[in-house]
Amino acid sequence: EGMALPQRILFPPEKICMEWQQRQRAGAGLHNLGNTCFLNSVLQCLTYTPPLANYLLSREHSQSCRQRGFCMMCIMEAHVNEVLHSSASAIQPWAVIRVLTRIGEHFQLGMQEDAHEFLNYAINAMQRARPSGSSDLDFSSQETSIIHEIFGGLLRSRVTCLSCKAVSDTYEAFLDIPLDIEAASSVPEALQGFVKPEQLDGENGYKCSKCQQLATASKRLTIHRSSNVLTVCLKRFDPFSGEKISNVVQYPEYLDLGTYMSQAAGERLLYSLYAVLVHEGSSCQEGHYYCFVKGKASDGRWYKLDDASVGLCDIKTVLCQRAYLLFYAR
């Protein structure tokens, strides 16, 4: 709706498998190789993302990859297979650290980096690892990659002219949803703020293409197409000062996205929490990152992964963290 149809499907959506294909114990921890906790915690959250792990464990990508030199998907495939099949209690993630500047040229080994930023760069690097002959694809076709099929969704921005009632829609792809938390005590409340209509008037008025006036208008953002994996970033760092916003923000184990959709027809759209990434410290330039993930065993036990340490924990502990990133599976 409002979008061009893709000329080529890179990865058929019906091939996405949301349930673990192989059941086994928790994998290895990751040694900290000098301020690499930001990277370790992100890698562990990605490793326990079921549809991504299923794809990487199948080794389907490397069997057909023709990319020369750096390929983030090949690196992640090797990393996830090593973590989940290793008999060691922890491994050194050199495969990823060696290519840190290829993932993002400003990343420096030994420097504390922002975990959300690293996640974005890592996902975008995987997105660039597409099948051969797909470099000059149209925008809609690019969004049929395995990465977009897992993490990608669509936001709709609807502007309604309050003079003539004309409606104008624009669409934007997303790979995660950033939420303001300064005035919110829970994720549902922050999502309510995310989709709350905003009034455009005065100097910020809207030039309506129908009635040709600088009119007062209402603008509302909604989730138009939801993703298979929903990544929520609680905006804990002030963009100007870098200072930490340490509010307690409650988040549910099961999240219903139904009311935040463009067609909020009362239908439930349920997501289940499977990973939580936490930052401890007073600013994004310092502190420590670790995460909690839901294991692959059939009993769905939770683990705390803190660099090389892997330990069992309960859902109550998971739900009372000052989370930075939340990962939900549909």
Side-chain angles (χ1 to χ4, degrees), residues 187 249-253 273 276 318-323 326 328:
V187 165
V249 180
Q250 291 178 326
Y251 46 95
E253 185 180 2
L273 186 71
V276 177
V318 173
L319 293 177
C320 67
Q321 302 299 315
R322 290 186 192 220
L326 299 168
Y328 285 91

Side-chain angles (χ1 to χ4, degrees), residues 276-280 288-292 321-325:
V276 177
L277 188 145
V278 179
H279 173 268
E280 262 180 15
H288 182 58
Y289 290 101
Y290 53 90
C291 66
F292 297 84
Q321 302 299 315
R322 290 186 192 220
Y324 180 32
L325 299 175

Side-chain angles (χ1 to χ4, degrees), residues 151-203:
F151 297 98
L154 206 59
L155 295 175
R156 184 186 77 187
S157 175
R158 169 164 286 187
V159 179
T160 307
C161 174
L162 298 181
S163 289
C164 71
K165 302 292 182 272
V167 168
S168 168
D169 288 340
T170 52
Y171 299 88
E172 186 191 344
F174 71 84
L175 290 168
D176 65 27
I177 291 188
L179 294 180
D180 285 315
I181 56 166
E182 283 199 83
S185 60
S186 70
V187 165
E189 195 183 335
L191 277 165
Q192 211 57 59
F194 184 74
V195 300
K196 187 181 173 186
E198 154 194 9
Q199 186 138 312
L200 307 176
D201 53 18
E203 285 180 12

